[in-house]
Amino acid sequence: MSPRLPMLIVCFLGFATSVVLSDEGMFPISELGRLNLSAKGMGLTPAELFNPGQVSLVDGICRVNGCTGSFVSRNGLIITNHHCAFDAIQKASTSKNDLLTNGFIAKDFAEEVPAPNYTVRITEGYKDVSEQVLSALTESMTALERNKAIEKRRKEIELESEKENKGLRVEVAEMFAGKTYVLFLYTYLKDIRLVFAPPIAVGAFGGEADNWEWPRHTGDFSFMRAYTAPDGTSAEYSPNNIPYHPKRVIKIAPQGVNEEDFVFLLGYPGRTVRQKTASFLKFEQDVRLPAVVELYAWQISEMEKAGASDREVAIKHASRTKSLANVEKRSRGQLLGLKRASIVATKEKSEAELTKFIQTDAGRRNAYGSLLKDIGSVYQDMSEKGPFEIHFRELKLACRAMSFAFTIYDAAVEREKQDLERETPYMNRNIELTVQQLKLDVADWHKPTDTIMLAGMLERLSKINGSRDMERLAIVLDDNRSFAERAESLMSSTRLGDNRFVEECLKKNPAELESVSDPILNLVIQLYPAYKKLRDLDKEREGRLGQLYGSLVEAKQAFDPAQFVPDANATLRITYGRVRGYSPSDAIQKTPVSTLQGVIEKTTGAEPYITPKAVLDRYAAKDFGTFVHPKLGQVPVAILYNTDTTGGNSGSPVFNAKGELVGVNFDRTFEATINDFAWNESYSRSIGVDIRYVLWITGIVYEAKHLLAEMGL
Ligand code: ASP
């Protein structure tokens, strides 16, 4: 940790130290001292893990966009997942130079490929700012005012703190809705490059069939590198930049781990919702998740059809297809898990007990008596309006041209406001990334697919109550041509797939945009007030729920402190456990290590089980180097362990007790998709690629020995 940073150790949980922490959980690093990790098998002291002002393990971990990574060399080499680098690999691929299919190896720094719109963050410090944030609120505020006041105060604190901490990025995170806010200081690097990616046939072996499943035989890893300006400060890409020098380099343990060994992960888990109520779970189960499954499955199949006979089109759609497929299958797993583990019923039971506790005391009754009902009524409203709201939001996501138009117009509207009043993506500190992302998306646009998406969304909306309440939408929906014809006529003359046009539009103010003639842009501008209204409604609900959940957490803590588990919110967390198999169902026992033998057994030569010749050759030659599992007599490919992880833990280092790298986390089992709602030792398992497979593929199969040498091997 840099000594110049103010560091205040706080209890992120924001409550009395009487809170008892269970084994479940992704714990903020502020809790390290209270976890008693040495009793669980940890070989490092809390100070060796995290030590403000000194160098500790945490300094070797970074956030890579929405994933996690580890610095594995003095020269900023990062190991993360293949699926985390996927966007960079896809953007650099063409049908003639297909890095997705062939993989990529930079032989030296000069050959590394810039990864546009990738950023890397390293946590430098934190400070509790709850009081400052909450002082922006007054009793008389409406829910919407409350939400906006919190949002604005958080932004103010971020900007002020960035002035005091030159060169660092500051973000205020909500640890507990309506209760605890913590400011995080980050080193923020903007020149990130691709160094090594195995072919997709290794990096995503098994494709969607194997995604979220165990046993797994996927080499889901890649190497990237962070760069800075020659003086060491953060800078945009420039050929003159130099590799970043991390304060701590993560040591590799080439011998890997064994079953029942203690492991722990550091990382940036995205979001869990374990504090939410049964009414929320019902909304997820009955309304949101089924809609996501239907909408995404349809979009994926259309994108796949479009790319089936044209590799150029397939490459354009690859990133989006992959991320929708990931969420679609996860949502299916969650729907199944909600039913199978009777999660709603279990929640209802614990809420009934909480209610009894509240009702037995007049003070508690007064303070918390109507909480669950009030929270329930918000979800009731969301459930009733859900079908329309979800599809209306999806209209401008599924149809990419509408999404581009929305960003352009929204940016123009927001630009007219003071920086602090703007929606986050359009603030001065974020606008560059927003615009760059827009241009990258425009470059991947494919008109025929987008026309199908627009037609499909209009058709879906036409069947939903409420869609015709909006005059402009009703006109499009009640036109008497087919949906395909309507979509075609809107899409045929749009210029939103052309970055020169998009750039011109980005210079215009709202009035100027209103007079541009482009059918999709015009439609989006006419629908804009409705989108804005929906955004405000979302904020109002968030404000209301934030306040109610704040009180619920208080009531729960009074009732049973042992039950308390912090939710993930994309800030640095630790989780620990053991390499361990599980029984997903009666009479089935799954063991925790998969091997190269399994890759060979699964290989059919057809998608998604194609194994590259280089791998087959090394296998046939029994050229395994020192990477053979001593008991299994094979190169281990993936490992399973009972830690508590979620999306965002992709790329997280899997450490042995000494804090050495034994794997790279990339997934969970199908049963564990439900983790986001409820974790349970019997079914929650995370999956990582074994370091021995990483080293075998990199050093022996693809002969990138210079990378092994760079990692000190
Ligand atoms: N593969 C997962 C994801 O990126 C990681 C997880 O959620 O456990 O969504």
Side-chain angles (χ1 to χ4, degrees):
M1 292 284 152
S2 152
R4 72 196 160 109
L5 299 174
M7 185 68 58
L8 178 64
I9 301 299
V10 291
C11 167
F12 284 179
L13 299 184
F15 300 111
T17 43
S18 64
V19 173
V20 181
L21 299 170
S22 66
D23 270 0
E24 167 185 1
M26 307 158 179
F27 300 101
I29 43 172
S30 62
E31 308 307 305
L32 277 173
R34 301 199 297 133
L35 290 171
N36 193 15
L37 289 178
S38 60
K40 319 267 179 199
M42 171 70 87
L44 301 179
T45 62
E48 286 170 317
L49 289 165
F50 174 61
N51 196 356
Q54 308 290 321
V55 176
S56 60
L57 198 68
V58 154
D59 295 310
I61 312 305
C62 57
R63 182 164 175 203
V64 184
N65 284 7
C67 290
T68 302
S70 311
F71 288 110
V72 286
S73 91
R74 288 255 148 261
N75 278 328
L77 187 67
I78 296 168
I79 188 164
T80 184
N81 291 146
H82 182 272
H83 81 260
C84 297
F86 195 91
D87 211 39
I89 309 169
Q90 182 246 316
K91 296 286 182 285
S93 291
T94 60
S95 53
K96 291 203 185 71
N97 183 24
D98 191 342
L99 308 189
L100 277 172
T101 302
N102 305 327
F104 173 73
I105 309 170
K107 292 201 190 57
D108 52 28
F109 291 156
E111 280 190 15
E112 292 171 5
V113 174
N117 253 23
Y118 271 68
T119 57
V120 156
R121 275 164 236 235
I122 303 130
T123 301
E124 300 288 359
Y126 57 80
K127 179 170 137 191
D128 189 308
V129 290
S130 310
E131 248 176 61
Q132 265 170 283
V133 171
L134 296 172
S135 68
L137 303 179
T138 62
E139 282 298 322
S140 61
M141 280 178 169
T142 63
L144 180 60
E145 286 165 351
R146 223 185 124 78
N147 181 287
K148 289 194 168 170
I150 290 182
E151 195 178 309
K152 186 168 171 204
R153 178 54 61 86
R154 282 168 73 174
K155 289 175 183 164
E156 270 164 9
I157 297 171
E158 288 169 351
L159 293 186
E160 270 163 31
S161 177
E162 277 182 8
K163 268 189 224 140
E164 284 163 22
N165 294 286
K166 280 267 169 297
L168 294 183
R169 172 95 176 176
V170 178
E171 271 156 37
V172 172
E174 183 175 73
M175 307 308 281
F176 286 107
K179 278 247 156 277
T180 321
Y181 296 85
V182 174
L183 171 157
F184 286 86
L185 294 159
Y186 296 105
T187 287
Y188 185 63
L189 305 176
K190 293 177 279 192
D191 180 355
I192 314 303
R193 304 183 197 173
L194 183 66
V195 176
F196 176 95
I200 194 167
V202 171
F205 181 78
E208 280 313 309
D210 279 15
N211 194 15
W212 302 109
E213 303 286 350
W214 183 262
R216 195 64 165 276
H217 298 89
T218 311
D220 194 348
F221 73 94
S222 66
F223 291 97
M224 303 185 90
R225 194 184 303 280
Y227 281 78
T228 65
D231 64 359
T233 57
S234 172
E236 300 290 339
Y237 170 83
S238 154
N240 301 328
N241 284 352
I242 58 162
Y244 168 69
H245 300 305
K247 281 181 239 149
R248 173 70 184 253
V249 175
I250 301 302
K251 190 166 174 246
I252 309 276
Q255 74 281 10
V257 262
N258 287 311
E259 190 163 350
E260 283 305 311
D261 280 356
F262 174 85
V263 286
F264 71 100
L265 275 70
L266 288 165
Y268 290 88
R271 209 167 80 94
T272 56
V273 284
R274 303 203 187 135
Q275 296 304 325
K276 299 225 162 152
T277 55
S279 49
F280 164 80
L281 293 176
K282 274 200 213 136
F283 165 71
E284 288 286 299
Q285 183 171 281
D286 299 341
V287 183
R288 198 187 70 85
L289 290 170
V292 166
V293 170
E294 193 283 320
L295 285 165
Y296 286 13
W298 158 65
Q299 290 174 58
I300 293 159
S301 89
E302 293 299 347
M303 286 190 282
E304 281 173 351
K305 266 190 253 162
S309 56
D310 187 336
R311 184 65 191 148
E312 207 64 48
V313 174
I315 291 173
K316 277 179 191 287
H317 290 332
S319 248
R320 195 166 157 75
T321 308
K322 189 170 170 65
S323 69
L324 293 193
N326 192 44
V327 177
E328 189 269 343
K329 191 164 177 190
R330 184 186 68 202
S331 305
R332 274 192 283 126
Q334 290 174 334
L335 277 169
L336 210 75
L338 279 165
K339 292 207 182 91
R340 204 179 118 127
S342 317
I343 288 175
V344 177
T346 313
K347 228 348 157 261
E348 276 171 345
K349 193 163 155 258
S350 70
E351 284 173 9
E353 283 160 14
L354 178 68
T355 304
K356 229 189 269 163
F357 169 74
I358 292 171
Q359 294 301 335
T360 50
D361 175 274
R364 285 199 292 261
R365 205 162 45 236
N366 217 355
Y368 311 123
S370 66
L371 267 185
L372 289 167
K373 201 169 109 286
D374 294 346
I375 292 176
S377 70
V378 179
Y379 294 123
Q380 181 63 31
D381 179 52
M382 283 165 67
S383 299
E384 278 160 20
K385 298 183 183 142
F388 171 70
E389 290 179 359
I390 290 169
H391 285 81
F392 187 53
R393 276 190 210 103
E394 194 63 26
L395 171 66
K396 74 163 170 56
L397 292 173
C399 175
R400 305 306 295 148
M402 286 187 71
S403 152
F404 308 155
F406 185 85
T407 304
I408 291 167
Y409 191 69
D410 205 24
V413 171
E414 293 294 309
R415 255 200 323 265
E416 310 227 303
K417 300 179 186 166
Q418 295 283 324
D419 193 37
L420 271 176
E421 308 286 338
R422 293 181 201 160
E423 292 294 326
T424 306
Y426 311 110
M427 290 177 71
N428 291 334
R429 69 209 279 260
N430 301 324
I431 186 71
E432 234 173 89
L433 274 184
T434 305
V435 167
Q436 204 184 339
Q437 190 57 53
L438 171 64
K439 289 185 189 164
L440 290 168
D441 291 343
V442 170
D444 279 340
W445 190 63
H446 182 240
K447 191 185 248 181
T449 313
D450 218 28
T451 309
I452 294 171
M453 297 299 171
L454 178 56
M457 283 315 302
L458 292 178
E459 186 169 359
R460 281 169 175 75
L461 275 160
S462 76
K463 295 178 189 146
I464 292 174
N465 281 344
S467 299
R468 286 176 180 77
D469 296 351
M470 215 178 297
E471 200 190 334
R472 182 61 185 101
L473 195 55
I475 295 172
V476 191
L477 297 179
D478 289 334
D479 180 310
N480 51 20
R481 290 168 298 173
S482 72
F483 288 105
E485 283 168 331
R486 271 171 258 181
E488 182 62 43
S489 78
L490 282 163
M491 208 59 100
S492 60
S493 57
T494 185
R495 285 173 290 160
L496 285 159
D498 176 354
N499 258 323
R500 279 163 309 189
F501 174 69
V502 167
E503 262 171 43
E504 262 172 49
C505 287
L506 282 166
K507 291 184 203 134
K508 298 189 192 295
N509 64 31
E512 288 164 342
L513 285 172
E514 280 149 32
S515 57
V516 171
S517 161
D518 183 284
I520 296 286
L521 183 62
N522 300 150
L523 174 66
V524 167
I525 292 174
Q526 284 158 341
L527 296 177
Y528 186 79
Y531 277 118
K532 200 168 159 326
K533 207 165 133 201
L534 188 54
R535 185 155 72 192
D536 276 349
L537 181 60
D538 286 340
K539 287 188 187 197
E540 187 185 321
R541 287 172 178 153
E542 202 183 302
R544 179 138 183 72
L545 289 171
Q547 199 171 13
L548 294 167
Y549 273 117
S551 305
L552 185 68
V553 160
E554 255 171 37
K556 277 188 182 172
Q557 204 231 337
F559 177 50
D560 186 358
Q563 292 304 318
F564 211 81
V565 177
D567 267 317
N569 65 350
T571 59
L572 185 60
R573 302 298 176 98
I574 184 167
T575 173
Y576 58 86
R578 294 202 174 255
V579 178
R580 186 172 289 173
Y582 76 121
S583 169
S585 54
D586 186 39
I588 295 182
Q589 186 64 40
K590 297 197 177 185
T591 54
V593 184
S594 68
T595 69
L596 186 54
Q597 178 66 37
V599 175
I600 304 301
E601 281 167 10
K602 275 186 181 170
T603 300
T604 58
E607 288 288 1
Y609 299 110
I610 301 169
T611 296
K613 184 170 176 307
V615 176
L616 295 173
D617 287 351
R618 292 300 94 216
Y619 175 77
K622 296 202 171 25
D623 187 3
F624 303 137
T626 54
F627 304 121
V628 175
H629 190 288
K631 285 194 202 127
L632 302 173
Q634 286 286 330
V635 179
V637 173
I639 46 175
L640 196 66
Y641 33 88
N642 64 354
T643 57
D644 186 356
T645 60
T646 187
N649 274 121
S650 287
S652 271
V654 184
F655 290 117
N656 63 17
K658 292 192 278 186
E660 299 163 341
L661 194 74
V662 294
V664 184
N665 185 75
F666 68 93
D667 209 6
R668 282 169 282 159
T669 57
F670 200 54
E671 296 77 20
T673 52
I674 195 66
N675 265 13
D676 298 354
F677 303 108
W679 183 90
N680 188 308
E681 208 285 328
S682 71
Y683 58 71
S684 290
R685 291 291 180 279
S686 311
I687 304 171
V689 54
D690 192 297
I691 197 68
R692 288 163 283 194
Y693 195 54
V694 171
L695 299 175
W696 184 69
I697 290 283
T698 309
I700 293 186
V701 177
Y702 292 104
E703 298 179 52
K705 298 217 179 340
H706 62 292
L707 291 180
L708 267 52
E710 191 181 339
M711 291 186 278
L713 298 169

